[in-house]
Amino acid sequence: MRHLNILPLFLTAFSIYAAEHWVTDAPSFNQAAIAAKAGDVIVLKNGVWKNSLLQIRASGMDDLPVTIKAETPGKVLLTGDSRLQIGGAYLLVEGLFFKDPEGEEAIEFRINSNEVAHDCRVTQCAVVNTRPAGKVTKSSRFMSLYGREHRVDHCRFEGKASAGPSMVVWLSEAEKDGGRHRIDHNLFG
């Protein structure tokens, strides 16, 4: 008797229903984010996205994350008070470029204090400030990690001129074991 491995069939069934959503601005991103499910891909069109608040509350699976990616890595420029807030599980963010961020945080692994993310990954992204130190007056962070078991890799964090660290790992009472994050192969300059 042959044993069939049903996991590939199960994952194939999910991928049949996965969708690719192309978005051109924050309202269309947030609309696609509401509908996102395991295996879906949200593609941000190339261009300048000024003062864009992007929020996603979604749950993918280990083998079928919900992916948020640039049409072309580095060609989606998030400027001004733009921010990406991710909440949920198994979200993959790739190829976004935050240039001269003006907000308190550019990338935040939570929606609010009650909605933190877990098992998410940010890769091949950049947060770069090119403004002189005197032009930046308030404290800010490029990235804040909340929750547990995230990975931040192959990203660039450069030119931080404001008060405050480039990246903060926030630990709640439940994550006193260290949150089990992986922060590797990044450039901090």
Side-chain angles (χ1 to χ4, degrees), residues 10-188:
F10 180 71
L11 293 176
T12 301
F14 269 106
S15 63
I16 290 171
Y17 297 106
E20 186 172 87
H21 307 275
W22 286 75
V23 295
T24 57
D25 55 20
S28 63
F29 174 89
N30 292 325
Q31 199 60 32
I34 290 168
K37 59 188 179 316
D40 281 3
V41 178
I42 300 173
V43 181
L44 283 71
K45 293 284 285 178
N46 291 345
V48 177
W49 293 53
K50 186 171 178 147
N51 300 326
S52 297
L53 174 57
L54 308 177
Q55 290 186 329
I56 183 165
R57 297 168 172 89
S59 290
M61 297 187 307
D62 190 20
D63 292 337
L64 287 171
V66 174
T67 302
I68 299 108
K69 70 178 196 170
E71 176 182 8
T72 306
K75 298 294 183 184
V76 173
L77 295 175
L78 293 132
T79 64
D81 192 10
S82 291
R83 178 185 292 199
L84 173 65
Q85 295 177 304
I86 57 176
Y90 298 105
L91 303 176
L92 171 62
V93 178
E94 53 186 339
L96 302 183
F97 184 179
F98 289 82
K99 185 170 188 232
D100 298 329
E102 296 174 5
E104 188 176 332
E105 285 153 326
I107 302 171
E108 191 173 13
F109 285 71
R110 71 174 187 171
I111 302 297
N112 57 50
S113 60
N114 295 320
E115 292 182 83
V116 300
H118 67 88
D119 296 290
C120 296
R121 180 180 181 198
V122 173
T123 186
Q124 299 174 353
C125 291
V127 185
V128 176
N129 179 47
T130 60
R131 295 171 296 161
K135 300 285 183 184
V136 183
T137 58
K138 62 182 175 181
S139 177
S140 65
R141 295 166 291 282
F142 284 168
M143 180 179 285
S144 285
L145 279 82
Y146 295 86
R148 66 184 193 282
E149 300 185 47
H150 300 303
R151 182 174 185 202
V152 178
D153 64 284
H154 299 91
C155 293
R156 186 172 111 207
F157 303 95
E158 191 173 354
K160 181 95 169 50
S162 65
S166 296
M167 178 186 291
V168 177
V169 176
W170 301 94
L171 299 176
S172 70
E173 213 41 55
E175 282 102 21
K176 289 299 182 195
D177 60 359
R180 296 182 300 278
H181 303 299
R182 285 182 53 195
I183 301 169
D184 63 279
H185 296 88
N186 298 293
L187 170 68
F188 291 88

